[in-house]
Amino acid sequence: MSTLPAPLPPEPDAPFPPVDQALRQPDGLLAIGGDLSPPRLLNAYRHGIFPWYSQGQPILWWSPDPRTMFATDGVRLGSKFRRGLRRSTWEVRADTAFAEVIRACAETPRPGQRGTWITREMRAAYERMHELGHAHSFEVFDGDRLVGGIYGLAIGRMFFGESMFSAESGGSKVALAALAAHLGSWGFPLIDAQVENDHLLSLGAELWTRPRFLAAVAELTAEPGIVGSWSGRVGCWPATRLAEPARAAGPACHDP
């Protein structure tokens, strides 16, 4: 990486540079330094910016163009996969195992990837955001075993996805689809997936231009949100409901 932007001021509430100043190579690199305090993170996400860096690097802040987005009514599960879910015993919960989900996202091996960008510092920062009611996880359980999950930040009626994992085939798909179903029923129209890959596109993600994305973020983050634990809203929710998309926001499998 031969070119780096100027460092951020030390104050957590200092403004970020305008996103149209982000580099084209590497795509979207906007700022360097600062910290991962809650005020800085909330300010970043409200402006379409997120941190992404590796161990040993300074904190790097990004706003890529295009942006990878899911409509909450646009997550696609294949018909074969949905048929398999009709026999599934998996259950979905929210905000009951946030630390376990982010740790699994950091530690699960991924094809073509060495190491992880979810550093110890990043994990601590997002666990703090979870404690404050801004960061949330959707978890997929087979009995007491965590087999998949996804986590991210909610600001207003916008959800910013960070990472997901599977310990069993399809675990992350169920987590994403369950998240989308619930968000849609709560009035959240979009999930930010940040940077494209073939897997996300196969599940229905779309590429948005940065101006289109930023306009949506400005509108949705200004709306009233749902701060605090989402555990009681989701309860224990059977993954079988994803086999019939029209019923995806049905009742829990038992009282939370």
Side-chain angles (χ1 to χ4, degrees), residues 184-244:
S185 72
W186 301 339
F188 288 64
L190 298 172
I191 300 171
D192 172 31
Q194 297 182 348
V195 179
E196 72 176 287
N197 61 48
D198 290 342
H199 180 60
L200 295 177
L201 296 177
S202 74
L203 293 172
E206 301 177 344
L207 300 182
W208 285 27
T209 64
R210 185 192 288 134
R212 181 186 179 191
F213 168 72
L214 293 176
V217 167
E219 177 182 351
L220 292 171
T221 58
E223 294 185 7
I226 307 174
V227 179
S229 175
W230 289 358
S231 177
R233 287 178 167 267
V234 175
C236 174
W237 191 83
T240 53
R241 295 199 172 274
L242 293 170
E244 303 293 341

Side-chain angles (χ1 to χ4, degrees), residues 18-35:
V19 293
D20 60 7
Q21 294 182 11
L23 301 180
R24 296 304 305 172
Q25 290 295 330
D27 180 35
L29 181 59
L30 176 68
I32 183 172
D35 57 28

Side-chain angles (χ1 to χ4, degrees), residues 8-16 34-35 37 39-40 43:
L8 288 174
E11 297 80 14
D13 58 353
F16 283 84
D35 57 28
S37 64
R40 179 107 56 186
N43 183 31

Side-chain angles (χ1 to χ4, degrees), residues 14-102:
F16 283 84
V19 293
D20 60 7
Q21 294 182 11
L23 301 180
R24 296 304 305 172
Q25 290 295 330
D27 180 35
L29 181 59
L30 176 68
I32 183 172
D35 57 28
L36 298 174
S37 64
R40 179 107 56 186
L41 285 171
L42 290 171
N43 183 31
Y45 282 90
R46 287 191 178 103
H47 292 88
I49 302 162
F50 60 88
W52 186 25
Y53 64 103
S54 299
Q55 190 69 41
Q57 290 182 321
I59 301 173
L60 304 176
W61 301 88
W62 303 78
S63 182
D65 187 11
R67 194 72 162 230
T68 305
M69 300 292 294
F70 283 101
T72 52
D73 62 357
V75 175
R76 294 196 302 259
L77 299 178
S79 57
K80 181 179 179 181
F81 187 79
R82 290 200 307 273
R83 286 196 301 271
L85 286 175
R86 293 171 188 160
R87 301 181 300 275
S88 176
T89 60
W90 289 358
E91 296 171 351
V92 178
R93 303 167 200 164
D95 287 346
T96 68
F98 185 89
E100 291 87 343
V101 167
I102 193 171

